[in-house]
Amino acid sequence: MTSVTVPEKWRAAIAGNLEENFRYLAERLAIHVTARGDTVSLDGDPRGVGIAQKVIEELAALATTGFAVGKQEFQTALRVLEEDPGADLKAFFADALIPDAIKRLVVPRNIKQRLFLQTVNREDIVFAIGPAGTGKTYLAVAMAAAALAERRVKRIVLTRPAIEAGERLGFLPGDMVEKVNPYLRPVYDALYDILGYDKVARHIERGVIEIAPLAFMRGRTLNDAFTLLDEAQNTTPEQMKMFLTRMGFHSKTVITGDVTQVDLPADRLSGLVHARQILEGIDGICFFDFTKEDVVRHRLVQKVVDAYERFAGERLHNGS
């Protein structure tokens, strides 16, 4: 059995509401966690106990510096140390390569997300490819908001192809804006969550933030802009080329998508797949891959992804 001392002043923050953080720790690592006063006792698998001890000790140390430890920070710390038991949590949560504006808005939830933020900060064009729940779009929107807040760009342009699940714009009610809004809703949701409804509304009214379907990008040159193309698996190669050549001076571009969820007709090649075939290896362009292990939504999301992957693998094996 191992014991960890947590100063009384920080115990409530580390333990969480009704000690929910300690219960999460015990369930995730399959160990026993008992807290009495300022002492937390850990018992069980040595590796799990070691990770739990480091989580508690390093978060307690961070709390003394004024870092706000909450439920999400606790779960992030555990996830990071599960991936890399030697990771330095202080360095993770205070990464100098992540823009200051991001630290106030979004905290990466695992090592892969941290690396993604660093990559977007460093490269001019980044393709983020992976399953739902890995934070691709949310983090990209957060980086766009940070670039705007730090005045590294003058505007944000967010776009998606207006095609999903066999639907077409002509079947939807309303004018063009009303027709495309359902497709762009996830982008709006991320912006509202990060910047707040009122600030987003003001930026959209002034043209500082522009949210539009991909077709509206044709013929434009986007200087001093952070541009995000979401759901890029549903672009055609021609649309992808058109989008990438919109990039102007002093700009940054992020393309996100999941190549396992292409809604194009079966005989059409995804622009995202095609782009990787011809652009990978070019200096300044980075392809960043997320996997099912990087899912940070509800634990059932990862199980859903696993189940679909198994089903697809079995169909491929059976030749059907």
Side-chain angles (χ1 to χ4, degrees):
M1 181 177 293
T2 300
S3 296
V4 183
T5 299
V6 180
E8 191 68 27
K9 184 177 181 179
W10 313 114
R11 185 186 181 285
I14 301 300
N17 184 37
L18 300 176
E19 298 190 346
E20 63 178 340
N21 290 342
F22 289 162
R23 292 197 302 274
Y24 178 81
L25 193 67
E27 179 182 357
R28 182 100 179 189
L29 297 176
I31 62 174
H32 297 287
V33 181
T34 306
R36 289 191 178 87
D38 62 357
T39 301
V40 181
S41 299
L42 309 169
D43 191 24
D45 173 69
R47 182 180 184 277
V49 167
I51 291 174
Q53 180 180 359
K54 188 169 183 179
V55 168
I56 295 171
E57 289 179 343
E58 294 201 14
L59 285 182
L62 274 169
T64 64
T65 68
F67 180 79
V69 178
K71 177 180 178 180
Q72 289 189 330
E73 288 71 26
F74 190 95
Q75 293 184 3
T76 296
L78 176 54
R79 193 178 295 115
V80 167
L81 291 179
E82 283 182 308
E83 295 177 10
D84 179 10
D88 182 341
L89 292 182
K90 183 176 180 180
F92 180 88
F93 285 112
D95 194 331
L97 293 177
I98 296 175
D100 288 339
I102 275 288
K103 294 174 189 174
R104 296 193 297 271
L105 299 171
V106 176
V107 175
R109 298 301 173 196
N110 55 33
I111 292 175
K112 185 65 75 67
Q113 287 194 352
R114 177 173 175 257
L115 291 173
F116 175 62
L117 293 178
Q118 292 173 344
T119 301
V120 173
N121 202 36
R122 184 180 66 246
E123 305 290 352
D124 287 337
I125 297 180
V126 178
F127 288 81
I129 302 172
T134 52
K136 306 182 302 296
T137 299
Y138 194 90
L139 291 174
V141 171
M143 288 297 281
L148 184 66
E150 296 178 347
R151 304 189 180 209
R152 289 181 281 114
V153 298
K154 294 180 180 178
R155 56 179 168 162
I156 297 173
V157 179
L158 308 173
T159 185
R160 294 176 114 206
I163 173 174
E164 285 187 43
E167 296 181 12
R168 295 293 185 274
L169 291 178
F171 293 104
L172 297 174
D175 59 22
M176 180 57 69
V177 173
E178 292 171 326
K179 285 175 184 289
V180 301
N181 267 349
Y183 295 99
L184 298 167
R185 181 52 52 188
V187 176
Y188 278 104
D189 289 344
L191 276 173
Y192 292 151
D193 196 17
I194 294 166
L195 294 179
Y197 182 87
D198 291 339
K199 182 176 285 189
V200 171
R202 289 196 302 270
H203 282 333
I204 291 176
E205 184 178 353
R206 297 200 303 265
V208 175
I209 294 178
E210 179 182 350
I211 306 176
L214 182 58
F216 286 21
M217 298 296 106
R218 189 174 298 280
R220 304 178 61 187
T221 299
L222 302 172
N223 295 315
D224 301 299
F226 191 116
T227 308
L228 167 65
L229 170 59
D230 191 32
E231 296 290 339
Q233 75 275 6
N234 288 327
T235 62
T236 64
E238 295 78 14
Q239 288 175 323
M240 179 62 76
K241 179 183 177 182
M242 180 274 291
F243 172 76
L244 290 173
T245 53
R246 299 310 93 203
M247 187 177 185
F249 294 108
H250 313 296
S251 294
K252 188 176 291 289
T253 298
V254 177
I255 301 98
T256 65
D258 179 0
V259 294
T260 69
Q261 296 194 39
V262 177
D263 296 314
L264 294 168
D267 61 342
R268 298 303 304 271
L269 176 64
S270 166
L272 182 57
V273 174
H274 182 254
R276 181 159 213 164
Q277 293 172 353
I278 65 175
L279 298 178
E280 196 161 31
I282 295 178
D283 187 41
I285 299 178
C286 177
F287 286 83
F288 193 98
D289 291 297
F290 289 94
T291 68
K292 63 184 180 181
E293 284 75 23
D294 303 315
V295 172
V296 292
R297 287 185 187 168
H298 192 286
R299 60 184 178 82
L300 288 179
V301 173
Q302 185 165 343
K303 292 184 178 181
V304 168
V305 173
D306 288 342
Y308 273 93
E309 286 190 356
R310 284 195 304 272
F311 178 75
E314 290 169 0
R315 289 192 63 184
L316 183 63
H317 178 72
N318 294 332
S320 59

